[in-house]
Amino acid sequence: MGKLGGEGLAAAAGRARTLGMEGERLASPARSSGLPAGGAGGESPGVDAPLLGSSGSSTLLQAEVLDLDEDEDDLEVFSKDASLMDMNSFSPMMPTSPLSMINQIKFEDEPDLKDLFITVDEPESHVTTIETFITYRIITKTSRGEFDSSEFEVRRRYQDFLWLKGKLEEAHPTLIIPPLPEKFIVKGMVERFNDDFIETRRKALHKFLNRIADHPTLTFNEDFKVFLTAQAWELSSHKKQGPGLLSRMGQTVRAVALSMRGVKSRPEEFMEMNNFIEVFSQKINLIDKISQRIYKEEREYSDEMKEYGPIHILWSASEEDLVDTLKGIASCIDKCSKATEKRMSGLSEALLPVVHEYVLYSEMLMGVMKRRDQIQAELDSKVEALTYKKADTDLLTEEIGKLEDKVECANNALKADWERWRHNMQNDIKSAFTDMAEENIQYYEQFPTLGINVCRKRQGFWHAGGRKEQGKLL
């Protein structure tokens, strides 16, 4: 951990212990008088609860790990132990205010109190002489002391979200930044300003901001705060700050050169991490394709059923003897159609967005690994230069020392965030498939009675129709 973050965390922990000792001193007269420490009829709040991450207090959580065979039809979920590591910050953007530090200290018996609530809603279309774009209203409610107010309302467009994502990656290169929805849509699939597309993007942007707000490090990023609170002109002015175009181009060229150079020896744990990402990417993309195909087939089936009901109603008008039977079949088809629509709604809201989000996460993870390798490659190049170059050895030694600290911080940040991401991924995917299974159970539970009624009405229809045709022949 950086010096600033370590001193701040130690100071916050010291304040927490001081408060605990003060509470214990105030509670002692109550105990001596025979009353509970919490007051008359009260109980002790447990101020001596150990910190998460301390020796003997780390909790092993049972999590579901997604394991998919290569066969598309063989999708299985199995249980595996996963350890949720305590999240530490290795970024120079570590908050120094007492409130920010105390907010990151979690006690075992203390509930995780959320102090930042973000809502993305009310998309609005803007048409100018140059372009047409959509903005979204962002409402932020918070109890944090570093904010000037408890509530903010701003409007942001997609480009602003892209800017925020880029700033987070720049400040925290080896933290796993939540993914944004794609900017471009496949031609012919959906219109850019279609209502369904805008609503889908709104939900994705809402989740993006709330995942950042729930992250123990990203939530205190200064650019994130500016994004949530600054008015349009203030945000525009803030964007102009920082390195110029030439400086950014130089950084990009250096990053490309380091990525092409590669790393000589990647640590074993990051080799395993990279292998996991590759396999996960293949299988989550496969699930995404299968889910989209199922949804498409269900949509076509539903559209066909919507046509069958009215056809049977029209048919009944020309068949006096079969009016009740045909109307009964039309009613059953209508019930099936509504049940299918409900199941499709669950599929499109519960499963498809989660699966596709983790498709985007797999791409983000590859970018994180690439940035980690670039930091290590920069260190390797300096070490190699020191080996073959006798001049300026003092300067190179100083640079190597700084890069070694940078690599260590980057590795520790990635390892801690990796455990947090895997825990969330397991819970999200397990919950999505469980919800989808429950939707399917409720869907098929409607069919025993419904199916019998359909069969009976069809049998009556064919019996009546058969007698009618027989009468014609006679």
Side-chain angles (χ1 to χ4, degrees):
M1 178 182 296
K3 180 178 179 182
L4 181 59
E7 292 177 352
L9 185 57
R15 286 191 290 273
R17 287 194 295 271
T18 302
L19 291 174
M21 294 171 64
E22 182 66 14
E24 191 69 14
R25 183 182 65 80
L26 294 175
S28 58
R31 286 196 293 269
S32 63
S33 62
L35 294 175
E43 293 183 0
S44 173
V47 294
D48 292 327
L51 289 173
L52 276 179
S54 60
S55 60
S57 65
S58 59
T59 306
L60 288 178
L61 303 177
Q62 292 291 336
E64 296 293 330
V65 180
L66 179 68
D67 181 47
L68 306 173
D69 293 337
E70 294 299 331
D71 187 355
E72 292 184 3
D73 300 325
D74 189 10
L75 307 178
E76 92 176 316
V77 177
F78 68 95
S79 178
K80 183 178 180 181
D81 290 338
S83 175
L84 180 61
M85 299 177 61
D86 187 27
M87 182 62 201
N88 297 316
S89 171
F90 301 95
S91 168
M93 304 298 291
M94 183 72 183
T96 57
S97 66
L99 180 61
S100 300
M101 297 302 303
I102 292 175
N103 282 339
Q104 295 194 61
I105 300 178
K106 303 290 189 297
F107 293 91
E108 284 186 341
D109 298 330
E110 181 184 357
D112 187 8
L113 300 178
K114 188 172 182 178
D115 57 4
L116 186 62
F117 301 88
I118 303 173
T119 304
V120 179
D121 59 10
E122 293 189 9
E124 184 179 293
S125 178
H126 298 263
V127 180
T128 67
T129 55
I130 301 176
E131 60 179 344
T132 301
F133 58 92
I134 305 294
T135 63
Y136 302 85
R137 185 178 72 167
I138 301 174
I139 298 177
T140 304
K141 297 181 180 181
T142 181
S143 59
R144 294 182 183 175
E146 55 262 37
F147 285 81
D148 298 333
S149 177
S150 60
E151 185 171 345
F152 299 88
E153 179 178 328
V154 296
R155 297 200 72 87
R156 298 286 182 258
R157 57 184 296 183
Y158 184 78
Q159 289 183 357
D160 298 328
F161 286 87
L162 283 176
W163 170 83
L164 173 61
K165 175 174 170 288
K167 297 299 288 185
L168 292 175
E169 291 177 349
E170 180 183 331
H172 311 281
T174 55
L175 289 184
I176 302 173
I177 312 298
L180 276 173
E182 297 96 333
K183 183 175 182 179
F184 300 105
I185 299 298
V186 179
K187 186 177 180 180
M189 293 293 293
V190 65
E191 295 180 8
R192 181 182 175 189
F193 298 115
N194 177 278
D195 290 342
D196 292 337
F197 167 71
I198 293 175
E199 177 61 15
T200 299
R201 170 169 281 188
R202 183 199 66 78
K203 291 179 179 179
L205 295 176
H206 176 86
K207 179 173 283 189
F208 170 74
L209 292 182
N210 278 276
R211 284 197 182 277
I212 296 174
D214 293 337
H215 195 284
T217 302
L218 300 178
T219 186
F220 296 105
N221 180 274
E222 185 63 25
D223 290 308
F224 181 50
K225 176 186 172 184
V226 171
F227 178 88
L228 296 177
T229 61
Q231 294 303 313
W233 66 270
E234 294 175 316
L235 181 64
S236 178
S237 176
H238 183 78
K239 286 181 179 180
K240 296 177 182 178
Q241 299 177 6
L245 177 61
L246 293 178
S247 177
R248 292 197 301 270
M249 289 180 60
Q251 293 175 0
T252 302
V253 171
R254 184 169 65 254
V256 171
L258 291 173
S259 63
M260 294 182 64
R261 183 179 187 276
V263 293
K264 292 182 177 180
S265 59
R266 181 187 290 163
E268 182 65 26
E269 54 191 329
F270 294 110
M271 288 292 295
E272 294 177 359
M273 198 179 293
N274 191 70
N275 293 337
F276 177 90
I277 294 171
E278 291 178 356
V279 174
F280 176 79
S281 177
Q282 294 173 2
K283 299 199 173 187
I284 200 67
N285 274 278
L286 177 61
I287 294 176
D288 186 49
K289 292 178 181 178
I290 294 173
S291 301
Q292 295 289 347
R293 187 180 66 200
I294 291 174
Y295 182 79
K296 181 181 178 182
E297 293 175 353
E298 289 287 324
R299 171 59 62 189
E300 293 173 352
Y301 172 64
S302 176
D303 292 341
E304 289 179 359
M305 281 198 298
K306 288 179 181 178
E307 296 177 359
Y308 289 151
I311 288 175
H312 282 79
I313 295 295
L314 293 174
W315 190 1
S316 67
S318 61
E319 297 285 352
E320 296 180 359
D321 297 339
L322 305 175
V323 171
D324 293 338
T325 301
L326 290 171
K327 287 185 176 180
I329 293 175
S331 176
C332 290
I333 292 175
D334 182 61
K335 291 179 181 178
C336 288
S337 177
K338 290 179 179 178
T340 302
E341 282 288 336
K342 183 178 179 181
R343 185 169 68 142
M344 289 177 58
S345 176
L347 180 65
S348 63
E349 294 179 4
L351 183 63
L352 294 182
V354 174
V355 172
H356 192 66
E357 181 188 19
Y358 279 97
V359 169
L360 301 178
Y361 256 124
S362 67
E363 299 173 1
M364 289 293 299
L365 289 169
M366 293 178 183
V368 170
M369 292 299 298
K370 185 177 180 180
R371 290 193 292 272
R372 194 218 71 86
D373 289 347
Q374 288 174 356
I375 296 173
Q376 184 179 340
E378 187 176 2
L379 173 61
D380 293 341
S381 66
K382 295 295 182 181
V383 172
E384 184 177 351
L386 181 62
T387 304
Y388 296 100
K389 189 175 181 181
K390 296 181 179 180
D392 299 330
T393 55
D394 293 339
L395 179 60
L396 281 174
T397 302
E398 183 181 354
E399 291 180 356
I400 288 173
K402 293 179 180 179
L403 285 172
E404 287 176 344
D405 292 340
K406 186 177 180 181
V407 169
E408 182 180 1
C409 290
N411 290 345
N412 290 335
L414 176 54
K415 286 187 287 186
D417 214 24
W418 173 257
E419 293 298 328
R420 179 183 178 277
W421 176 83
R422 285 194 62 172
H423 174 74
N424 290 339
M425 177 270 291
Q426 292 157 3
N427 287 340
D428 289 345
I429 293 181
K430 175 186 175 181
S431 177
F433 277 97
T434 300
D435 292 345
M436 197 64 245
E438 291 176 353
E439 288 277 350
N440 286 338
I441 290 172
Q442 294 175 6
Y443 172 76
Y444 286 108
E445 280 179 345
Q446 303 176 57
F447 281 113
T449 303
L450 189 60
I452 291 173
N453 290 337
V454 171
C455 291
R456 286 177 177 172
K457 292 184 182 298
R458 284 180 175 175
Q459 287 175 359
F461 163 72
W462 289 117
H463 286 322
R467 286 194 296 271
K468 184 175 181 180
E469 293 298 324
Q470 186 179 11
K472 288 182 180 180
L473 289 174
L474 293 174

